[in-house]
Amino acid sequence: FMVTGDPSIKGKKAKDVKMEKMAQKRMSKLAKSLGGEDGLTNLLSSVGLECTGVVKAASKSKSGGWYYVQPMGSDLPVGIASCNEQQGATPLSPGDEVQIRLEGVDKKRGQISFTVL
């Protein structure tokens, strides 16, 4: 049980506060791995870039359809990739090579976001 007088979290659930802190932590680690805010800006200017990636793992969430994908041929870190409607019928396995498109940064998760083509 925890009590706080911080007005910024008034009316929020503890789970939501924890998720926000994790997202902020991941965003700062992402920016650091890309060389600071300039690297993050360069990443955002590359939105729409298509490349090949390797599936590292499938999401364990009940909704499914999410994969952790490592882009090949670049120094980008592993990001979250969602499947489009056509790909959704075929489950992917770790090690599969897929075509992905950079969608930007998922601020709720603090990770790079891709779409599996």
Side-chain angles (χ1 to χ4, degrees):
F1 183 72
M2 193 187 313
V3 177
T4 183
D6 186 358
S8 68
I9 62 171
K10 186 176 183 177
K12 293 183 181 179
K13 296 179 184 175
K15 185 176 182 178
D16 294 337
V17 172
K18 182 178 178 181
M19 292 289 286
E20 287 176 10
K21 283 184 181 181
M22 288 298 295
Q24 289 174 349
K25 182 178 176 181
R26 286 181 181 154
M27 283 294 291
S28 64
K29 286 175 76 174
L30 177 62
K32 186 177 178 182
S33 73
L34 294 173
E37 290 298 320
D38 291 337
L40 200 54
T41 303
N42 289 340
L43 174 75
L44 294 175
S45 68
S46 300
V47 169
L49 177 73
E50 295 182 5
C51 62
T52 303
V54 177
V55 176
K56 294 293 184 179
S59 170
K60 295 179 183 178
S61 72
K62 294 177 184 175
S63 61
W66 293 93
Y67 298 93
Y68 294 93
V69 178
Q70 171 71 56
M72 295 171 59
S74 69
D75 56 349
L76 293 176
V78 172
I80 296 279
S82 62
C83 291
N84 58 22
E85 294 78 29
Q86 297 88 13
Q87 185 64 32
T90 309
L92 299 173
S93 302
D96 288 352
E97 287 190 14
V98 292
Q99 284 295 115
I100 55 174
R101 178 177 46 242
L102 178 63
E103 298 295 338
V105 176
D106 184 345
K107 295 191 188 261
K108 288 177 80 175
R109 290 190 172 98
Q111 295 177 315
I112 296 177
S113 176
F114 300 104
T115 299
V116 176
L117 303 176

